[in-house]
Amino acid sequence: MFRAMFQHDMRESKSNEINIQDIDFNTVRDMVKFIYSGRLRDLADKSDLLLAAADKYDIRDLKNICSQHLAANLSTDQVRV
């Protein structure tokens, strides 16, 4: 599961930090919390961002949860033509 996570363009600094530049801090924090706890908070406000992060790092459980949440809450009011 985590092998794919480290095959992306990330750089480790001298202070043992990993810089992920294409995902905001809050999304990374929520993703890591999910990896360690299996829980999410306030999914309605961030399911789209978490889905993109989960897809990038192939976190299947998180992808499924976010996809299901987005599908369950999709309405015609959200569609733009």
Side-chain angles (χ1 to χ4, degrees):
M1 174 168 118
F2 298 108
R3 182 181 307 153
M5 180 180 287
F6 296 105
Q7 293 175 352
H8 292 279
D9 186 26
M10 296 184 298
R11 291 185 173 77
E12 187 173 338
S13 69
K14 292 178 182 178
S15 63
N16 293 326
E17 295 176 353
I18 296 175
N19 296 314
I20 303 173
Q21 297 181 358
D22 59 340
I23 302 174
D24 69 273
F25 173 81
N26 291 329
T27 302
V28 172
R29 182 191 62 211
D30 291 335
M31 179 178 64
V32 171
K33 282 184 179 181
F34 177 80
I35 290 168
Y36 282 98
S37 71
R39 289 183 263 147
L40 295 168
R41 298 179 86 187
D42 305 319
L43 187 57
D45 298 331
K46 51 193 160 195
S47 57
D48 56 337
L49 297 173
L50 279 169
L51 176 59
D55 184 54
K56 178 177 180 176
Y57 295 110
D58 197 26
I59 305 170
R60 293 182 186 133
D61 290 343
L62 183 56
K63 282 172 57 173
N64 290 336
I65 291 168
C66 292
S67 295
Q68 289 173 5
H69 181 270
L70 288 168
N73 293 289
L74 186 63
S75 73
T76 56
D77 297 336
Q78 298 166 323
V79 178
R80 294 182 189 166
V81 180

